Amino acid sequence: MENYLDSIGLDLSDAVKAAPALLGHKLIFKSPEGVTSGYIVETEAYHSDDPASHGFLGLTKRNNSIFQKHGTVYVYFTYGMHFCVNIVTGEAGSGQAVLIRAIEPVAGIELMMQRRKHRKLKDLTNGPAKLTQAMDINKDIDGTNIYDGPLTIAPGIKPQEITIAPRIGISKAKDHPWRFYIEGNEFVSKVSLEKIKKIL
DNA sequence: CCGAGGATCATCT
DNA sequence: GATGATCCTCGGT
Protein backbone atom coordinates (compact mmCIF):
# COMPACT_ATOMS: atom_id res chain seq x y z
CA MET A 1 0.00 0.00 0.00
CA GLU A 2 1.53 3.28 -1.11
CA ASN A 3 -0.48 5.67 0.99
CA TYR A 4 -3.95 6.40 2.25
CA LEU A 5 -5.17 8.00 -0.95
CA ASP A 6 -4.28 4.97 -3.03
CA SER A 7 -5.59 2.56 -0.44
CA ILE A 8 -9.10 4.01 -0.51
CA GLY A 9 -9.04 4.52 -4.25
CA LEU A 10 -10.16 8.14 -4.00
CA ASP A 11 -11.57 8.96 -7.40
CA LEU A 12 -10.01 12.17 -8.68
CA SER A 13 -10.78 11.42 -12.32
CA ASP A 14 -13.61 13.92 -12.46
CA ALA A 15 -14.46 17.01 -10.42
CA VAL A 16 -18.15 16.19 -10.08
CA LYS A 17 -17.33 12.72 -8.76
CA ALA A 18 -14.46 13.85 -6.55
CA ALA A 19 -16.32 16.68 -4.83
CA PRO A 20 -18.77 14.45 -2.91
CA ALA A 21 -16.12 11.72 -2.52
CA LEU A 22 -13.88 14.14 -0.61
CA LEU A 23 -16.53 14.93 2.01
CA GLY A 24 -15.68 13.56 5.45
CA HIS A 25 -11.99 13.12 4.71
CA LYS A 26 -9.54 14.96 6.92
CA LEU A 27 -7.62 17.86 5.42
CA ILE A 28 -4.25 18.32 7.10
CA PHE A 29 -1.86 21.24 6.68
CA LYS A 30 1.61 21.37 8.16
CA SER A 31 2.69 24.98 8.61
CA PRO A 32 5.87 26.19 10.37
CA GLU A 33 3.74 27.24 13.34
CA GLY A 34 2.10 23.86 13.74
CA VAL A 35 -0.32 21.38 12.26
CA THR A 36 -3.98 22.16 11.70
CA SER A 37 -6.63 19.85 10.36
CA GLY A 38 -10.35 19.41 9.85
CA TYR A 39 -12.95 17.22 8.21
CA ILE A 40 -14.04 18.41 4.80
CA VAL A 41 -17.75 19.20 5.08
CA GLU A 42 -18.43 21.29 1.96
CA THR A 43 -17.04 21.26 -1.58
CA GLU A 44 -17.79 22.66 -5.02
CA ALA A 45 -16.95 21.10 -8.39
CA TYR A 46 -15.56 23.16 -11.27
CA HIS A 47 -15.62 21.13 -14.46
CA SER A 48 -13.54 21.65 -17.60
CA ASP A 49 -16.48 22.69 -19.76
CA ASP A 50 -17.64 25.06 -17.07
CA PRO A 51 -17.67 28.83 -17.77
CA ALA A 52 -17.24 29.40 -14.03
CA SER A 53 -14.07 27.34 -13.83
CA HIS A 54 -10.76 29.16 -13.73
CA GLY A 55 -9.53 26.66 -16.29
CA PHE A 56 -12.27 27.45 -18.80
CA LEU A 57 -10.49 30.30 -20.58
CA GLY A 58 -7.24 28.42 -20.95
CA LEU A 59 -3.80 28.59 -19.43
CA THR A 60 -2.63 31.82 -17.83
CA LYS A 61 0.09 32.66 -15.36
CA ARG A 62 -2.32 32.56 -12.44
CA ASN A 63 -4.06 29.27 -13.12
CA ASN A 64 -1.08 27.18 -14.19
CA SER A 65 -1.52 24.60 -11.45
CA ILE A 66 -5.14 23.80 -12.32
CA PHE A 67 -3.74 22.28 -15.52
CA GLN A 68 -1.36 19.96 -13.73
CA LYS A 69 -2.04 16.33 -12.83
CA HIS A 70 -4.85 15.40 -10.45
CA GLY A 71 -3.99 15.81 -6.79
CA THR A 72 -2.20 19.09 -7.41
CA VAL A 73 -3.09 21.91 -5.04
CA TYR A 74 -4.41 25.05 -6.73
CA VAL A 75 -4.52 28.18 -4.57
CA TYR A 76 -5.73 31.51 -5.92
CA PHE A 77 -6.01 34.99 -4.51
CA THR A 78 -9.25 36.93 -4.91
CA TYR A 79 -11.18 40.01 -3.83
CA GLY A 80 -7.89 41.66 -3.00
CA MET A 81 -7.58 39.86 0.31
CA HIS A 82 -8.62 36.23 0.21
CA PHE A 83 -7.12 32.87 -0.72
CA CYS A 84 -9.12 29.79 -1.71
CA VAL A 85 -7.82 26.25 -2.05
CA ASN A 86 -8.70 23.63 -4.66
CA ILE A 87 -7.69 20.06 -5.42
CA VAL A 88 -7.10 19.46 -9.12
CA THR A 89 -8.95 16.57 -10.76
CA GLY A 90 -9.02 14.83 -14.13
CA GLU A 91 -6.44 14.44 -16.86
CA ALA A 92 -3.49 16.81 -16.82
CA GLY A 93 -4.40 19.78 -18.99
CA SER A 94 -8.15 19.47 -18.61
CA GLY A 95 -8.43 22.33 -16.13
CA GLN A 96 -10.90 21.10 -13.54
CA ALA A 97 -10.83 21.14 -9.75
CA VAL A 98 -12.74 20.84 -6.50
CA LEU A 99 -12.97 23.92 -4.26
CA ILE A 100 -12.81 23.21 -0.54
CA ARG A 101 -15.51 25.45 0.91
CA ALA A 102 -15.60 24.45 4.58
CA ILE A 103 -14.09 22.12 7.15
CA GLU A 104 -14.94 21.05 10.68
CA PRO A 105 -11.96 21.90 12.93
CA VAL A 106 -10.14 18.89 14.40
CA ALA A 107 -6.51 19.68 15.31
CA GLY A 108 -4.67 22.93 15.98
CA ILE A 109 -7.81 24.72 17.06
CA GLU A 110 -5.90 27.09 19.36
CA LEU A 111 -3.66 28.08 16.46
CA MET A 112 -6.62 28.64 14.18
CA MET A 113 -8.34 30.71 16.86
CA GLN A 114 -5.30 33.01 17.07
CA ARG A 115 -5.18 33.48 13.30
CA ARG A 116 -8.91 34.16 13.19
CA LYS A 117 -8.77 36.76 15.95
CA HIS A 118 -10.43 34.50 18.48
CA ARG A 119 -13.74 34.26 16.78
CA LYS A 120 -16.25 31.67 17.82
CA LEU A 121 -15.51 28.06 16.92
CA LYS A 122 -18.34 28.02 14.43
CA ASP A 123 -16.89 31.01 12.56
CA LEU A 124 -13.42 29.51 12.28
CA THR A 125 -13.52 27.54 9.05
CA ASN A 126 -17.06 27.78 7.65
CA GLY A 127 -16.10 29.44 4.35
CA PRO A 128 -13.46 28.98 1.64
CA ALA A 129 -11.38 32.01 2.61
CA LYS A 130 -11.96 31.51 6.33
CA LEU A 131 -10.40 28.06 6.35
CA THR A 132 -7.34 29.23 4.41
CA GLN A 133 -6.91 32.06 6.91
CA ALA A 134 -7.28 29.69 9.86
CA MET A 135 -4.81 27.17 8.42
CA ASP A 136 -2.50 29.86 6.99
CA ILE A 137 -2.77 28.51 3.46
CA ASN A 138 -1.55 30.86 0.73
CA LYS A 139 0.11 30.98 -2.71
CA ASP A 140 3.20 29.31 -1.25
CA ILE A 141 1.67 25.86 -1.56
CA ASP A 142 0.14 26.47 -4.98
CA GLY A 143 1.39 23.68 -7.23
CA THR A 144 2.26 21.23 -4.45
CA ASN A 145 0.62 17.81 -4.39
CA ILE A 146 -1.65 16.20 -1.80
CA TYR A 147 0.34 12.96 -2.18
CA ASP A 148 3.60 14.40 -0.91
CA GLY A 149 3.12 18.07 -0.04
CA PRO A 150 2.39 20.01 3.15
CA LEU A 151 -1.34 19.78 2.45
CA THR A 152 -2.61 16.21 2.61
CA ILE A 153 -5.73 14.07 2.97
CA ALA A 154 -6.25 11.42 5.67
CA PRO A 155 -9.08 9.21 6.98
CA GLY A 156 -11.94 11.11 8.57
CA ILE A 157 -15.62 10.54 9.19
CA LYS A 158 -18.26 8.86 7.09
CA PRO A 159 -20.99 11.29 6.00
CA GLN A 160 -24.45 10.01 6.85
CA GLU A 161 -26.20 12.17 4.29
CA ILE A 162 -24.92 14.44 1.53
CA THR A 163 -26.89 17.36 0.10
CA ILE A 164 -26.42 18.51 -3.50
CA ALA A 165 -27.15 22.19 -4.10
CA PRO A 166 -26.44 25.03 -6.56
CA ARG A 167 -23.01 26.66 -6.30
CA ILE A 168 -22.74 30.02 -4.61
CA GLY A 169 -20.54 33.09 -4.89
CA ILE A 170 -20.27 32.97 -8.69
CA SER A 171 -22.03 34.75 -11.55
CA LYS A 172 -21.66 32.22 -14.34
CA ALA A 173 -23.30 28.83 -14.63
CA LYS A 174 -25.00 29.14 -11.27
CA ASP A 175 -27.50 26.53 -12.37
CA HIS A 176 -25.08 23.64 -12.15
CA PRO A 177 -25.90 21.78 -8.90
CA TRP A 178 -22.28 21.12 -8.11
CA ARG A 179 -22.04 22.11 -4.47
CA PHE A 180 -21.94 19.26 -1.99
CA TYR A 181 -22.11 19.31 1.78
CA ILE A 182 -22.68 17.04 4.74
CA GLU A 183 -26.29 17.48 5.75
CA GLY A 184 -26.75 18.76 9.28
CA ASN A 185 -23.12 19.74 9.81
CA GLU A 186 -22.88 23.12 11.53
CA PHE A 187 -19.63 24.12 9.82
CA VAL A 188 -21.17 24.30 6.33
CA SER A 189 -20.86 27.89 5.05
CA LYS A 190 -24.45 28.28 3.98
CA VAL A 191 -27.29 25.81 4.15
CA SER A 192 -29.25 25.83 0.94
CA LEU A 193 -33.00 26.20 0.68
CA GLU A 194 -32.81 24.61 -2.72
CA LYS A 195 -31.80 21.05 -2.08
CA ILE A 196 -31.66 19.25 -5.39
CA LYS A 197 -31.41 15.81 -3.90
CA LYS A 198 -29.66 13.80 -1.29
CA ILE A 199 -27.38 10.83 -1.59
CA LEU A 200 -25.67 8.62 0.94
C1' DC B 1 -31.99 36.40 11.57
C1' DC B 2 -31.21 38.85 7.14
C1' DG B 3 -29.58 41.85 3.37
C1' DA B 4 -26.77 45.63 1.67
C1' DG B 5 -22.40 47.65 0.88
C1' DG B 6 -17.43 48.35 1.52
C1' DA B 7 -12.73 46.62 1.56
C1' DT B 8 -8.71 45.92 -1.68
C1' DC B 9 -5.64 44.17 -5.52
C1' DA B 10 -4.07 40.48 -8.88
C1' DT B 11 -5.54 39.30 -13.17
C1' DC B 12 -7.61 39.85 -17.44
C1' DT B 13 -9.77 42.81 -21.34
C1' DG C 1 -10.85 49.97 -16.39
C1' DA C 2 -13.73 46.18 -14.57
C1' DT C 3 -14.26 42.13 -12.14
C1' DG C 4 -14.22 38.60 -8.55
C1' DA C 5 -15.24 30.49 -6.62
C1' DT C 6 -15.33 36.35 -0.12
C1' DC C 7 -15.67 38.24 4.46
C1' DC C 8 -17.07 41.58 7.79
C1' DT C 9 -19.77 45.27 9.72
C1' DC C 10 -23.77 47.60 10.26
C1' DG C 11 -28.53 48.62 10.26
C1' DG C 12 -33.30 46.95 10.11
C1' DT C 13 -36.83 43.54 11.51
Side-chain angles (χ1 to χ4, degrees):
Chain A
M1 175 167 74
E2 302 299 322
N3 56 43
Y4 171 66
L5 293 172
D6 287 334
S7 74
I8 63 167
L10 180 62
D11 186 0
L12 294 181
S13 66
D14 178 274
V16 181
K17 289 179 186 172
L22 282 165
L23 293 176
H25 289 294
K26 188 158 66 175
L27 187 71
I28 305 173
F29 182 56
K30 299 179 177 69
S31 80
E33 291 179 295
V35 176
T36 52
S37 71
Y39 302 128
I40 298 171
V41 299
E42 182 181 357
T43 58
E44 259 177 21
Y46 286 86
H47 208 258
S48 20
D49 298 322
D50 178 3
S53 172
H54 285 184
F56 185 71
L57 295 175
L59 183 64
T60 65
K61 183 179 179 181
R62 160 223 213 172
N63 66 16
N64 175 61
S65 52
I66 203 175
F67 290 100
Q68 303 309 308
K69 63 182 178 183
H70 65 82
T72 299
V73 176
Y74 168 48
V75 179
Y76 67 88
F77 181 67
T78 191
Y79 290 102
M81 60 188 97
H82 297 303
F83 291 102
C84 294
V85 63
N86 299 248
I87 294 174
V88 175
T89 59
E91 299 278 313
S94 61
Q96 47 167 302
V98 174
L99 169 71
I100 309 298
R101 286 196 56 88
I103 65 172
E104 174 181 336
V106 174
I109 293 178
E110 282 301 312
L111 193 50
M112 293 195 281
M113 287 274 216
Q114 286 175 226
R115 292 169 176 157
R116 293 277 301 144
K117 298 180 183 175
H118 298 87
R119 288 176 193 286
K120 289 181 293 186
L121 182 64
K122 282 183 61 176
D123 288 329
L124 226 46
T125 55
N126 60 337
K130 292 180 184 179
L131 72 91
T132 56
Q133 188 181 339
M135 300 180 95
D136 198 25
I137 289 173
N138 55 46
K139 261 303 204 195
D140 290 349
I141 65 163
D142 181 52
T144 62
N145 197 287
I146 58 171
Y147 292 94
D148 58 20
L151 187 72
T152 57
I153 304 283
I157 56 176
K158 183 174 176 57
Q160 293 303 302
E161 188 176 34
I162 294 173
T163 293
I164 305 176
R167 296 178 298 181
I168 52 182
I170 57 175
S171 56
K172 302 169 188 168
K174 293 175 184 169
D175 53 317
H176 287 136
W178 288 342
R179 181 164 74 104
F180 305 85
Y181 62 85
I182 297 179
E183 181 63 34
N185 189 283
E186 60 181 345
F187 295 94
V188 170
S189 70
K190 192 175 182 185
V191 174
S192 181
L193 294 176
E194 187 180 350
K195 296 176 181 178
I196 305 297
K197 63 177 176 179
K198 299 174 180 181
I199 57 178
L200 185 66

